[in-house]
Amino acid sequence: MSESDSTNSGGCGDCPCKDSGGVNENRRGFLFAAGTTLMTIGGALVAVPIIGAAVAPAAARDPNRWIPLAKSADFRPGTTVLKTFLNPVSAPNDGLTASTACYVRCLEPGKFQVFAVNCAHLGCPVEWFDQSRLFMCPCHGGVYYEDGSRASGPPPRGLFEYMWRISTDGNLEILGGRLPGLQEGT
Amino acid sequence: MQSRNPRRALLESLRWIDERTGLFWMLRKSVFHRVPRDAKWWYVFGSATMMFFTVQLASGIVLATLYAPSAADAYQSLVYIDEQVPLGWFLRAIHGWSSNAMCAMMLLHLAQVFLHGTYKYPRELTWVFGVFLCLATLGLAFTGQIMRWDADAYWGLGIGAAIVDRAPGIGDQLRAIMLGGPTISGATLTRFFALHVFILPGATIALIGVHLYLVLRNGISEMPKPGQIVDPATYREGYESRVHKSGVPFYPDAARRDMVFCGAMLIAVVGVAAWFGPFGPNELPDPTNIHASPRPDGLFLWIFAALALLPPASETPLLLLGPPVGIALLAALPFLSNRGERAPSRRPLSVLLLVLIVTGLGVLTWLGTTSPWSPQMAAWKSTAPDVAFVEHRTPLETQGLLEFQFAQCRNCHSIGGTGGKRGPDLSTVATRLSWDQLVRQIQQGGGNMPAYGKTLSSAETQALVAFLSTLDGGTLKAKIPGALESQAALDASPAAGDRGP
Amino acid sequence: MSSRASIITTACCCFVTVACDRLPGKPPIRAAAAAVDTPEGFATYYALSCAGCHGADGTKGPARPMRDAAYLAAVPEDSLIAIVRDGVQGTRMPGFSSDTDEATLARFVQTMRVQWGGDGTSPSGAAAVLAIDPANGIAWQHVAGSGDARRGAELFETRCVGCHPRATTIDDRSTAGSVTDRFYLKLVSDQHLRTSILFGRSDLSASTAAMPGARGPFRGADGRSDASALSAADVDDLVAYLSSLRGEWPPSSETKDGAR
């Protein structure tokens, strides 16, 4: 109020707008529009790195890479063993979480199944039992047969499987990097 | 100047500040506002929740100066706080136990407000902001568990990720935002650290501000009286005249009880912290250690239990729709009924609902602590059978017991009270199943048991069933029906031809 | 005065710090798990991985008792280590090499021999164990030559049948049960039979009669007792007889109808 008083020389104190004429009103309107626009643009510019960095992981390209596990000849047919690998996408401060484990089942030389350790129910680590040839989950008791199919318990499906191939130098490689989950096709 | 009374000088300066800020005016208005005379011990839980939040702020700030929010160092920094920092373990213990106390007080406050119908006109928005506060508090508790960065934290995140991942269409993106990448990693810890120390506490402070402002604006509710109907047209007038007539100033009349309760609770929490110490960290957050057996903190055990008991088909819709619908219903409560009776005796449905919810959560939490659905992963090699199950057995039956351990039956089945609880206790199985039924159950599985038909040889099955058929509650003499007959039939069968002279 | 105040303050702080550090809630220092060659470490490891089959205290489990000085003295350390590391194919002894590194396994076995072997594992104490050796000094493993199954059948009649009747009536608990049962024989190796004959199961003394080792005494048909000890050849023959009832080891039908 005090500001409009001072700008309105000779005007009526009660209603400065009416007396101020079109020029002033246009100027005010322009300033308001300009202010709004500038603030919007500025805010949007600031928001780019803020929101961008926060949601960047959602837009990241496919994190899966071919990861060598071991020589394919090292796996004995009829066995299922735990193997660990380094995540292809990792940061220097990942610590222990830079590694991931998986189960490699060798059916016959050159023929494999590679399972994620994460239970298809809620992602807890399943443990392989060579004696009963079962995977068991310690959380809610999901059980899987040695071919990864669901045996009992709450899991909606069998164990997640990694795609695998044998590289030219004889390594068993798996396509990994993303924490397996129900969104996965396989 | 020098002879000036120091007390007067203090008053002078306070007046100086008040004249420029209006602070004391506000303070006086809130401290001495009139509250109903009957606002007694029922009303202490909200104050206690807020007090524990301030304890969390103070202890949390100091912990933040000691904690290293890096996936590579977090665990070791906690061990360092526990073992090397003077009183560090005590600080962690107080932060942990006070968190539990804050949640407990909040839930009591919530239950009391619900029971007394306090959310009705004009306090609808006070309730809505209270629901937001409840969510923020639960969020703080969950993210606090992640800060421990141990095996429970790692796999707890895994469970969270698996739930988010189920969202159709956007699950993958949501999960990536939650984890800060394609897997649980260092970025996940820093994300949850920011949530735990900046976003959620900030939100909580703001929400408390609004919540308290609304409490002051609408006044503290009276104890509900049967027949005293809430009618938006007349409520405010009636309330104000009653409070004006018979009310007492909040300080010191009502505050006395708050102070006694808060003080006692505070001392109790410090005592519990001193006695029981801090929570965790347990095992290292090692994704390659598949021997982990993750468990959530007590507050979330009921979810853990519900996830074990829900039928698989209903799980995804319930997981995805349950929380938003539940929260929406809770927040919408005062808009569904904002007038009428407040007294519990006139709202039997609400009382019943509260009793059902409390009982349900209590039972689920209890089930979560015992978690009978979890196999005992090491029972097969570490849980020795009672000597009574070894003695007086034939060699074949002893081999059967060996098979019972070896084939991990023990992980899910108890004998003599030890072993897994997922499957039925087999101590008296011979009284329930015949020889043939035992063979069928083992080979074909069913009823949440995997089929062992492909894994066990006929001799192994035979030995196992021979052992199980002795489990008739200790008499041993009474053999199960069919045992002798099937044994004789097997001996006579052509398959028995490899039997020697 | 200020120095006095600071002394008091410091003293108070020290007191509070020290006193608080003695509260029961203070977490213990995270020490590495006790080494496997200490008594505690050995007990922990045994309880975690062995107790399920070999018994809580090393006896009275479904599998061979390990708290058996004579057995530990008779089996060479290397063989024991190999058994624990690789397991025994075809039997219910799993290998533990995937859980534990070889050096730890070796130290575990060495500690077991010291803890439970009495004096039998040291050369000087071996004599003392030999004096009470139920195996009568017979080699724990089959050495050479094939046993005579026909003679073994006769021996079985005079030494074993008293407790292990050929046809067990299934509810007869006065005997120890059949060892000629074809399913039993399909599940146990020749070495298991040999070890059982040599060392017995003295830990199951609450049974009608604990199984003796090769030293006897025995009960034959009609309950006639026979106090004469078995010779090395006797043991070979008995194993050969029992083995002949089963056929080869591991039984081919087992590998066919089982998954392993």
Side-chain angles (χ1 to χ4, degrees), chain B residues 440-458:
Chain B
R440 196 178 311 125
Q441 181 63 33
I442 290 169
Q443 288 184 339
Q444 298 174 6
N448 239 345
M449 173 173 158
Y452 275 82
K454 283 187 198 158
T455 315
L456 296 181
S457 69
S458 59

Side-chain angles (χ1 to χ4, degrees), chain C residues 127-180:
Chain C
V129 169
L130 274 181
I132 51 140
D133 180 13
N136 208 19
I138 303 169
W140 76 286
Q141 247 180 336
H142 184 63
V143 186
S146 56
D148 181 350
R150 193 175 299 274
R151 201 177 150 261
E154 287 160 16
L155 279 166
F156 191 82
E157 201 64 32
T158 56
R159 309 293 174 89
C160 311
V161 149
C163 296
H164 296 297
R166 283 215 175 76
T168 318
T169 53
I170 204 160
D171 54 353
D172 180 9
R173 296 285 154 183
S174 64
T175 68
S178 168
V179 288
T180 49

Side-chain angles (χ1 to χ4, degrees), chain B residues 75 83 87 89 274-275 277 281 381-382 384-385 390-392 395 397-398 403 405-406 454 457-458 460 462-463 484 498, chain C residues 20-21 24-25 27 29-30 47-52 60 62 92 99 170 173 176 183-184 187 206 245 254 257 259-260:
Chain B
Y75 187 94
E83 292 177 0
L87 299 178
W89 69 268
W275 192 265
K381 56 177 183 174
S382 64
V390 184
E391 288 178 329
H392 303 293
E397 289 158 4
T398 309
E403 193 64 38
Q405 299 284 133
F406 181 78
K454 283 187 198 158
S457 69
S458 59
E460 286 169 322
Q462 200 71 17
L484 275 169
D498 58 340
Chain C
C20 283
D21 271 359
I29 299 289
R30 269 161 203 265
L48 189 70
S49 299
C50 318
K60 295 181 181 172
R92 266 131 294 278
D99 288 2
I170 204 160
R173 296 285 154 183
F183 291 117
Y184 168 73
L187 290 170
L245 298 181
E254 289 309 292
D257 74 358
R260 66 176 65 89

Side-chain angles (χ1 to χ4, degrees), chain A residues 94 132 139 145 153 178-179 183, chain B residues 165 172 175 186 374 408 448 451:
Chain A
D94 281 351
S132 50
C139 283
Y145 293 117
R178 183 189 182 276
L179 183 69
Q183 297 286 321
Chain B
D165 197 47
D172 197 24
R175 195 186 74 158
S374 299
Q408 278 92 33
N448 239 345

Side-chain angles (χ1 to χ4, degrees), chain B residues 65-270:
Chain B
T65 66
L66 299 165
Y67 177 71
S70 142
D73 307 319
Y75 187 94
Q76 283 312 316
S77 81
L78 289 175
V79 173
Y80 182 79
I81 294 172
D82 275 355
E83 292 177 0
Q84 306 294 327
V85 174
L87 299 178
W89 69 268
F90 204 5
L91 184 67
R92 282 197 60 231
I94 285 178
H95 196 69
W97 285 103
S98 163
S99 149
N100 282 352
M102 179 178 166
C103 293
M105 291 302 137
M106 179 197 70
L107 292 176
L108 283 172
H109 182 53
L110 182 74
Q112 179 261 320
V113 166
F114 178 78
L115 190 68
H116 286 172
T118 312
Y119 53 84
K120 299 192 177 193
Y121 178 88
R123 302 187 179 82
E124 297 99 327
L125 288 178
T126 323
W127 168 270
V128 171
F129 281 97
V131 171
F132 292 157
L133 271 171
C134 172
L135 295 179
T137 308
L138 295 181
L140 279 165
F142 180 76
T143 53
Q145 183 189 338
I146 303 304
M147 291 305 102
R148 290 208 293 272
W149 207 240
D150 52 14
D152 280 354
Y154 180 88
W155 296 108
L157 280 169
I159 292 176
I163 292 174
V164 170
D165 197 47
R166 290 184 178 212
I170 52 164
D172 197 24
Q173 283 74 23
L174 274 184
R175 195 186 74 158
I177 292 175
M178 170 187 160
L179 298 181
T183 58
I184 302 165
S185 65
T188 317
L189 176 60
T190 42
R191 257 164 207 251
F192 278 83
F193 181 74
L195 269 175
H196 187 71
V197 306
F198 296 117
I199 300 167
L200 288 172
T204 306
I205 292 170
L207 287 168
I208 287 178
V210 179
H211 194 71
L212 281 186
Y213 167 77
L214 290 173
V215 167
L216 286 176
R217 178 174 157 77
N218 296 318
I220 289 175
S221 72
E222 299 150 292
M223 278 296 280
K225 288 184 196 68
Q228 199 176 66
I229 308 282
V230 175
D231 177 6
T234 58
Y235 177 83
R236 225 179 252 284
E237 211 177 318
Y239 173 84
E240 258 147 41
S241 78
R242 284 193 298 274
V243 165
H244 189 75
K245 206 160 64 201
S246 65
V248 290
F250 173 73
Y251 181 87
D253 289 58
R256 280 194 287 241
R257 287 191 189 82
D258 283 358
M259 284 156 69
V260 168
F261 183 74
C262 289
M265 282 293 123
L266 197 55
I267 290 168
V269 160
V270 172

Side-chain angles (χ1 to χ4, degrees), chain C residues 18-82:
Chain C
V18 170
C20 283
D21 271 359
R22 283 160 191 266
L23 288 169
K26 184 174 165 62
I29 299 289
R30 269 161 203 265
V36 75
D37 46 10
T38 62
E40 306 79 50
F42 170 75
T44 308
Y45 192 98
Y46 178 86
L48 189 70
S49 299
C50 318
C53 295
H54 292 284
D57 64 346
T59 62
K60 295 181 181 172
R64 163 113 233 120
M66 283 297 122
R67 192 193 279 270
D68 182 339
Y71 178 77
L72 290 177
V75 182
E77 193 172 290
D78 292 349
S79 306
L80 264 184
I81 293 173

Side-chain angles (χ1 to χ4, degrees), chain C residues 82-108:
Chain C
I83 290 170
V84 175
R85 182 188 59 218
D86 306 327
V88 182
Q89 196 62 34
T91 74
R92 266 131 294 278
M93 174 68 191
F96 290 88
S97 57
S98 60
D99 288 2
T100 320
D101 61 283
E102 176 142 15
T104 311
L105 284 181
R107 271 185 288 129
F108 172 74

Side-chain angles (χ1 to χ4, degrees), chain A residues 117-126 137-141 160 179-182, chain B residues 142 145-146 150-167 171 175 178-179 183-184 188 192 292-297 300-308 315 319-320 373-374:
Chain A
V117 295
N118 305 87
C119 182
H121 181 222
L122 288 169
C124 288
V126 296
C137 176
C139 283
H140 299 111
F160 304 113
L179 183 69
L182 283 177
Chain B
F142 180 76
Q145 183 189 338
I146 303 304
D150 52 14
D152 280 354
Y154 180 88
W155 296 108
L157 280 169
I159 292 176
I163 292 174
V164 170
D165 197 47
R166 290 184 178 212
R175 195 186 74 158
M178 170 187 160
L179 298 181
T183 58
I184 302 165
T188 317
F192 278 83
S293 181
R295 288 291 175 279
D297 278 2
F300 301 104
L301 273 173
W302 66 274
I303 303 179
F304 179 72
L307 289 172
E315 211 166 64
L319 276 174
L320 296 175
W373 52 80
S374 299

